[in-house]
Amino acid sequence: MTGGVRIPLNDYGVLGQPPAPGEWTPTLTVSVVIPAHHAEHTLPLTLASLARQTYPAHLTEVVVVDDGERPAPPPSVPSAEPSTGPSTAPCAVPSPDAWPSPDAWPVSSAWPVPERLRVVRPRDGAWGRASACAAGAEAAEGQVILYLDADLVLFPEHVEAQMRWHHLADHLVVLGHLRFVPGLDEIPASEVLAAVEAGTVDKLFAEEDTTPQWTEGRWDQTDDLRAAGFTAFSVMVGATASLPAALLRAAGGLDASLVLGEDTELGYRLAQAGAVFVPDRRARCWHLGRSTVMRREPEVKRHNWPYLAERVPVFRWLRRHPHRTYLVPYVEVVVDAEDASFEEVRATVDGVLAGRLPDVRVTVTGPWGRLRGGRRDPLGDPSLDLRLMLACYEGEPRVRFRETVPDDCFPVPFRFHCPPGWVPSRGTIGAVVKHADRQRLGIVSLALDEREDGEVVHARLERTAAVTRARRCARPGDDLDDLIHEMFGTVWDAGDKWGLLPAESVASAGSADGVGGAGSTGKAGGAAPPGPGRAWTGGSGRSGSGRSGSGPSGSEGSWAGRLGLRRSGSRRFGARRFGARPLRRTARLLRRRLRALVRKDRPCPASV
């Protein structure tokens, strides 16, 4: 197992075909974690199917998490009462007669169970599937965690089929393949157990009589997620999913504050931690009865969507409000204030906060630790600019101040580094992010200026999933940008085409016509850029020249031309992209109002 395998996007096909079950030698240990709540009738069947797996028993442990207000586990399955964490005591094989309720084991004969079985409880007061899964992972000792629901009957190769992938790379999340079948109210448990014992679980139901999980349709549409790109995580369902324990810890484990939707939210954070999602159709199992989503889908969505909107920024359709912020922002903007003036930092931060993308967070880095209390000359203070920055955004919750920033902004999906003194237009950050998504890029660099020493001043959008994947796969001496380019792609472009302009150009545009609108003239002539908070309506897309006087004109002799950047007047990013937008928006608004007026004259239907 190695993290050095470089998988582009989610195309795990570069790993080749995994070994066929029974034709390889496993070495990794696995902990099967089963959260159980009122599962007395189905759990014994799940345990029986686990006892008949082809994966070596000495490499497998099963941790059942008792998540329910019911009597303690039977005496033959010892479990110490937890005080500060879940119990981890090993368990003896339970007897059918030892379970707490008389009908817990539907048949009277002895039931097979895995050789290494433990029962644990969540922390005191904790409840719900996420808490149970977290308690099971904390108690688990295996190198891989396999989450299973307590109402599954596994085919004999289920565990082995998933585990063979984990021997190929250490950042894979493997998803099992399940089908919904009738519950125990329609098929006797004794018949299911007989099939388990005989190794004929696949013969229990005909394929045409089963119901596929909704995720199977996504598998079919995306070549088993190989073409799913950055959205592969959205089909993670916790009914049967395995992942390395180290990867689970790196992603922060399950969010125990969620009682539903915790698997989707975990899938999102795993993606930001660099995970690749692999569905395996050979890891088959039957789901006894219909799921909660199948029975109460509208209610489940009504419950889950507010929680997921706060925690999964890439679900843009859940974030329709034009002004509010969320628990996890969509973009973190980093502005380095160490060698900048207060005016430069304020121009950049104000431009970001005035953008059309509301769910952003601004991190201003600088030597804040040098600021001391006590008497000082308020106007001659050498750290006056830093103090003014702090004072300017003291009441702005979207702005924070840090000495340094971490290597990545996990779990925020994007980080945008913007040099102080450069002002984005209202649509700049959102447009760059959208471009990175459409082109499936890991880094977008925007060239802004060239200094006398030859250094190119630039802004840079980084995708967290790409950065963390590159770090996970890097070997000594590897360049992270090269790895990101290989697995995701990187691109350079001219910053003025995206409305990222020097503050002095914005200031001159505002002073030329009093409001900073279109029609004023910047340093280099042509349409001037708007001031912070005003929409970009320039016709040509050209901007001022920048601080050193050499603007990105795109000519062959310019520095932008040497970088191979497209001209700033490009039809792709010029007037057709920005200038026509307000007119189209107005036309759409008029059409909507007209339709609304027409609908007023129509009789309302009795029901929808």
Side-chain angles (χ1 to χ4, degrees):
M1 180 175 66
T2 174
V5 182
R6 302 172 184 181
I7 301 175
L9 295 173
N10 203 69
D11 187 6
Y12 55 88
V14 298
L15 297 174
Q17 286 296 324
E23 299 180 3
W24 63 297
T25 303
T27 59
L28 295 178
T29 58
V30 56
S31 295
V32 181
V33 176
I34 307 175
H37 177 68
H38 295 317
E40 290 85 359
H41 293 284
T42 57
L43 176 60
L45 296 171
T46 303
L47 295 177
S49 64
L50 279 168
R52 297 294 182 262
Q53 290 294 298
T54 59
Y55 199 73
H58 71 278
L59 297 176
T60 307
E61 71 164 351
V62 178
V63 181
V64 175
V65 186
D66 180 12
D67 175 35
E69 298 75 24
R70 62 185 184 85
S76 57
V77 187
S79 177
E81 288 295 331
S83 54
T84 59
S87 63
T88 59
C91 301
V93 176
S95 163
D97 299 327
W99 281 75
S101 61
D103 59 347
W105 298 83
V107 294
S108 59
S109 59
W111 292 73
V113 294
E115 293 180 9
R116 300 174 61 204
L117 171 65
R118 289 183 289 159
V119 175
V120 302
R121 290 184 182 274
R123 297 177 183 273
D124 291 338
W127 63 276
R129 189 180 188 279
S131 292
C133 288
E138 185 177 345
E141 299 174 353
Q143 295 165 284
V144 175
I145 306 294
L146 170 57
Y147 287 116
L148 289 179
D149 278 356
D151 48 9
L152 301 182
V153 178
L154 312 181
F155 288 33
E157 297 175 348
H158 187 96
V159 175
E160 183 182 359
Q162 294 200 36
M163 287 300 297
R164 58 196 180 137
W165 288 99
H166 294 296
H167 287 71
L168 301 181
D170 66 356
H171 54 288
L172 305 183
V173 178
V174 185
L175 310 175
H177 180 255
L178 66 82
R179 286 292 183 102
F180 294 95
V181 298
L184 295 182
D185 54 339
E186 298 183 41
I187 179 173
S190 57
E191 184 176 336
V192 178
L193 178 63
V196 171
E197 290 285 71
T200 58
V201 174
D202 58 323
K203 300 293 195 295
L204 269 173
F205 304 95
E207 197 79 8
E208 59 270 17
D209 296 332
T210 64
T211 303
Q213 194 175 35
W214 67 269
T215 57
E216 194 170 331
R218 284 291 309 279
W219 295 7
D220 295 338
Q221 296 166 5
T222 58
D223 190 19
D224 284 349
L225 299 185
R226 280 188 282 266
F230 302 115
T231 66
F233 78 89
S234 63
V235 298
M236 179 174 175
V237 177
T240 165
S242 59
L243 70 164
L247 178 63
L248 179 63
R249 290 191 295 269
L254 278 99
D255 185 347
S257 67
L258 299 176
V259 294
L260 288 176
E262 76 290 335
D263 45 6
T264 300
E265 193 275 337
L266 175 62
Y268 163 74
R269 282 187 286 113
L270 287 169
Q272 305 315 306
V276 174
F277 296 83
V278 180
D280 193 321
R281 296 179 187 262
R282 298 195 65 168
R284 303 177 65 196
C285 62
W286 301 130
H287 187 290
L288 298 173
R290 304 172 69 198
S291 68
T292 303
V293 174
M294 295 172 69
R295 291 182 283 108
R296 306 173 66 179
E297 181 177 359
E299 296 171 81
V300 170
K301 289 181 177 179
R302 180 176 182 268
H303 177 278
N304 288 354
W305 284 356
Y307 291 96
L308 295 179
E310 289 290 329
R311 293 163 173 80
V312 185
V314 296
F315 286 169
R316 303 308 295 161
W317 48 278
L318 291 178
R319 296 189 173 188
R320 296 296 191 186
H321 197 285
H323 303 297
R324 61 156 297 184
T325 57
Y326 296 86
L327 185 63
V328 180
Y330 191 38
V331 181
E332 179 188 58
V333 179
V334 177
V335 182
D336 185 3
E338 183 168 5
D339 298 319
S341 69
F342 162 63
E343 288 75 16
E344 289 175 325
V345 171
R346 182 176 63 177
T348 300
V349 175
D350 282 356
V352 172
L353 297 180
R356 294 193 188 97
L357 192 66
D359 48 338
V360 298
R361 179 176 69 200
V362 181
T363 299
V364 184
T365 62
W368 312 110
R370 77 167 59 155
L371 301 180
R372 296 288 186 268
R375 183 179 294 274
R376 65 182 182 276
D377 180 358
L379 300 181
D381 183 0
S383 300
L384 177 60
D385 282 54
L386 295 177
R387 295 185 189 277
L388 294 178
M389 295 173 201
L390 289 172
C392 186
Y393 299 104
E394 187 175 2
E396 174 53 66
R398 289 188 289 170
V399 178
R400 63 180 188 172
F401 298 87
R402 296 289 187 270
E403 292 277 337
T404 58
V405 293
D407 293 334
D408 59 71
C409 59
F410 176 91
V412 182
F414 293 99
R415 173 180 280 174
F416 186 71
H417 295 268
C418 188
W422 293 84
V423 183
S425 73
R426 293 188 63 194
T428 295
I429 297 177
V432 175
V433 169
K434 186 177 292 186
H435 178 66
D437 272 341
R438 287 175 175 171
Q439 301 299 322
R440 297 187 171 186
L441 298 170
I443 295 176
V444 177
S445 298
L446 302 179
L448 305 174
D449 198 1
E450 185 179 31
R451 294 177 177 161
E452 294 181 357
D453 60 1
E455 180 184 355
V456 175
V457 179
H458 67 281
R460 174 181 167 110
L461 179 75
E462 298 173 344
R463 186 184 297 274
T464 301
V467 173
T468 52
R469 174 93 61 86
R471 286 203 178 91
R472 187 173 293 277
C473 297
R475 301 184 181 95
D478 283 343
D479 182 81
L480 288 183
D481 280 17
D482 288 344
L483 290 177
I484 294 173
H485 182 76
E486 179 181 343
M487 292 187 289
F488 296 88
T490 62
V491 69
W492 278 81
D493 208 344
D496 67 329
K497 294 191 321 187
W498 298 90
L500 188 56
L501 306 167
E504 54 264 33
S505 295
V506 175
S508 66
S511 61
D513 60 3
V515 295
S520 57
T521 304
K523 293 183 179 181
R534 298 191 176 275
W536 174 273
T537 57
S540 68
R542 295 182 182 274
S543 70
S545 61
R547 299 183 192 178
S548 67
S550 56
S553 66
S555 61
E556 300 244 347
S558 70
W559 62 270
R562 293 199 302 273
L563 286 174
L565 307 181
R566 293 184 291 270
R567 293 181 60 84
S568 58
S570 163
R571 289 178 58 84
R572 185 174 184 185
F573 300 111
R576 198 171 66 174
R577 183 176 182 89
F578 293 100
R581 184 176 296 170
L583 295 178
R584 291 198 299 268
R585 186 181 298 111
T586 302
R588 286 198 301 268
L589 181 60
L590 290 174
R591 286 197 297 270
R592 289 173 187 165
R593 288 180 178 175
L594 179 61
R595 286 197 295 268
L597 291 173
V598 172
R599 282 198 297 267
K600 275 188 176 181
D601 297 329
R602 295 180 181 177
C604 295
S607 61
V608 177

